[in-house]
Amino acid sequence: MKPMIFTGRSNRPLAQRIAAALSTSLSQATVTNFPDGELHVEVESEIVDADVYLVQSTASPVAEHLLELLFLADACRRGGAARITAVIPYFGYARQDRRTGPGEPVGGRVVADMLSAKFDRLMTVDLHNPTLEGFFTIPVEHLTAVPLLAENLPLNRGQNPVLVAPDHGAVKLAHRYAEILDLPVVIIHKLRHTAKEVSVRKLTGEIKNRTPVLIDDMIATGGTLAAAIEALLENGARQEVSIIATHALLVGDAVRRLTDLPVRRVMVTDSTTISKETALPLQRIGLADILAAKIRHLRTRD
Ligand code: R5P
């Protein structure tokens, strides 16, 4: 089966880098909108018996990118592809892994059902909650960027660095970094009031005169990290903060919130696209090599 890599409009540069790492180039797909906004997709015709990889992060605009992915899969299936793998470096809706109130759907499950119906396999990176894998009826290859990000973090051990989990959800993740970096972990107890507003209830661990490295799976509005950083500074942390997160969504006021604080480094991956003009001190670590290596591995294994 010849491999073919397609992409929609969410993260073409990463799809190109994955293709290059596999010594190939992107296959032709056009994704446009009709005047009324309806999506239109067309893939090149020579896909009979192909081993197709559709690279698309479901970042904002989430619904549009998700539908592009489903349309591309349908086009490839009808065109005769032998196997179709969704490569979703950032998987949106992973935070809706349960109901928080009686009137809500389980959004993550709905999305998993749609993807399971259209794809043979899913490849993704650092799901917000790894148990989400159980929502899928297709095999899930769940990759992690943690070792990659940890290895690339410039650390000055003389400045007493400490890892910080900005909420309970990040504690396990912070401990994974702690194992690699051999650093202590401080835990912040966060209260979420709305999707945009959070506050800090208390902090566990020693932070005075230490340099905080905040750990999270994603930066969305930046509210979680900003509240955590303010609490760390109030408790005597050094004014030199680093952030590590796999997925940089940077929506709403995220950039302003974080640039207003003494944030010296924001280390993220290229699972999403980010405006080149951002004022944040971003360091981006590429995922193309680990995704391409996994594709290569699966192709030799199957
Ligand atoms: C929370 O459960 C997540 O791990 C992130 O901390 C959170 O979703 C980030 O969102 P925001 O940047 O909007 O606070």
Side-chain angles (χ1 to χ4, degrees), residues 226-252:
I229 294 167
E230 278 159 15
L232 292 166
L233 297 175
E234 276 164 24
N235 282 273
R238 294 174 74 126
Q239 302 263 334
E240 209 163 298
V241 177
S242 295
I243 295 168
I244 309 184
T246 304
H247 309 294
L249 308 185
L250 300 176
V251 293

Side-chain angles (χ1 to χ4, degrees), residues 11 17 24 30 37 49 60 133 169-170 205 222 226 250 264-265 275:
N11 197 342
R17 288 191 282 272
T24 182
T30 51
D49 289 336
S60 178
E133 186 176 334
L250 300 176
R264 301 288 176 256
R265 171 176 294 107
S275 150

Side-chain angles (χ1 to χ4, degrees), residues 1-299:
M1 280 191 288
K2 66 168 174 168
M4 293 183 84
I5 301 171
F6 291 95
T7 192
R9 293 180 288 195
S10 84
N11 197 342
R12 194 174 176 84
L14 175 56
Q16 276 165 334
R17 288 191 282 272
I18 295 171
L22 291 166
S23 308
T24 182
S25 46
L26 285 181
S27 297
Q28 185 61 35
T30 51
V31 181
T32 53
N33 292 88
F34 286 117
D36 63 354
E38 275 188 13
L39 185 65
H40 179 255
V41 156
E42 199 171 340
V43 297
E44 67 181 71
S45 50
E46 295 300 312
I47 52 175
V48 175
D49 289 336
D51 183 19
V52 167
Y53 297 84
L54 296 183
V55 181
Q56 176 94 325
S57 279
T58 48
S60 178
V62 183
E64 189 74 4
H65 287 153
L66 187 59
L67 200 62
E68 284 179 16
L69 187 60
L70 295 165
F71 273 38
L72 283 165
D74 192 71
C76 291
R77 183 77 69 204
R78 290 173 196 279
R83 180 173 61 187
I84 310 175
T85 301
V87 181
I88 309 183
Y90 166 69
F91 181 83
Y93 281 107
R95 285 182 289 180
Q96 293 194 41
D97 53 353
R98 62 186 183 282
R99 301 202 310 159
T100 55
E104 295 180 352
V106 181
R109 175 65 205 244
V110 174
V111 173
D113 282 348
M114 291 193 288
L115 293 170
S116 297
K118 287 288 176 198
F119 287 90
D120 298 303
R121 189 167 55 192
L122 165 71
M123 196 181 291
T124 188
V125 183
D126 288 338
L127 281 172
H128 174 64
N129 178 357
T131 61
L132 208 84
E133 186 176 334
F135 285 3
F136 290 87
T137 55
I138 53 174
V140 176
E141 301 293 337
H142 187 194
L143 279 63
T144 181
V146 170
L148 204 58
L149 290 164
E151 278 159 22
N152 281 284
L153 179 74
L155 260 190
N156 182 345
R157 290 190 186 263
Q159 290 186 338
N160 275 327
V162 62
L163 302 178
V164 179
D167 60 19
H168 278 283
V171 173
K172 259 194 190 160
L173 187 62
H175 281 290
R176 282 169 62 200
Y177 280 96
E179 255 175 49
I180 300 172
L181 296 168
D182 191 24
L183 289 175
V185 173
V186 164
I187 298 168
I188 296 211
H189 304 264
K190 169 182 98 175
L191 286 179
R192 183 171 281 288
H193 307 290
T194 66
K196 291 186 195 162
E197 297 306 323
V198 298
S199 64
V200 167
R201 201 157 46 90
K202 65 173 186 152
L203 189 151
T204 309
E206 192 43 63
I207 193 66
K208 204 167 171 39
N209 292 326
R210 308 200 72 151
T211 307
V213 180
L214 287 97
I215 306 288
D216 212 340
D217 60 326
M218 70 174 79
I219 312 169
T221 66
T224 300
L225 290 168
I229 294 167
E230 278 159 15
L232 292 166
L233 297 175
E234 276 164 24
N235 282 273
R238 294 174 74 126
Q239 302 263 334
E240 209 163 298
V241 177
S242 295
I243 295 168
I244 309 184
T246 304
H247 309 294
L249 308 185
L250 300 176
V251 293
D253 279 344
V255 172
R256 185 196 50 76
R257 268 176 159 157
L258 297 176
T259 44
D260 281 353
L261 292 162
V263 174
R264 301 288 176 256
R265 171 176 294 107
V266 181
M267 189 185 258
V268 295
T269 72
D270 57 355
S271 66
T272 59
T273 52
I274 301 171
S275 150
K276 284 199 178 76
E277 280 90 54
T278 181
L280 282 174
L282 276 185
Q283 185 176 345
R284 297 184 79 204
I285 305 297
L287 292 175
D289 285 346
I290 63 166
L291 289 164
K294 184 50 115 181
I295 291 173
R296 230 180 275 115
H297 169 76
L298 291 172
R299 284 179 50 73

